[in-house]
Amino acid sequence: MAGTLGWNNPVVLGMLGVAVIALAWFIVRQLRLTIPLLEFRVFASRGFTTSMIVVVLALIATLMLSQLNASHGFVYIAAAFAVLKVNIWY
């Protein structure tokens, strides 16, 4: 909705606020459970946290390449070079 209403719209800001509160509640709740859905304590390990950041960045890069492929008709290697060019020059 931010694309049509704008980021300063009270509805958008309210939804962002609700999302932040819900995420904080989820994290606190998972830390208190004996059998959590997601064990946040594993993020205390630097190696695990670093590997998860690399995985998320790789996923974002893959989604960017897929978007360029779908919207501009690039083949994957051309999309990769287009992203590389943007990252080098800007």
Side-chain angles (χ1 to χ4, degrees), residues 22-90:
L23 179 63
W25 175 81
F26 177 76
I27 291 171
V28 169
R29 176 107 169 108
Q30 293 303 305
L31 288 172
R32 292 183 181 169
L33 290 174
T34 56
I35 303 174
L37 292 172
L38 180 59
E39 183 62 63
F40 286 103
R41 290 178 187 90
V42 297
F43 288 101
S45 167
R46 179 178 282 170
F48 179 79
T49 303
T50 304
S51 65
M52 287 298 105
I53 290 171
V54 168
V55 166
V56 167
L57 291 176
L59 177 63
I60 291 170
T62 302
L63 293 174
M64 284 178 56
L65 293 176
S66 297
Q67 176 64 24
L68 282 173
N69 186 11
S71 64
H72 297 295
F74 288 144
V75 294
Y76 279 107
I77 192 69
F81 282 124
V83 171
L84 183 64
K85 178 183 170 189
V86 169
N87 289 333
I88 290 174
W89 295 110
Y90 294 108

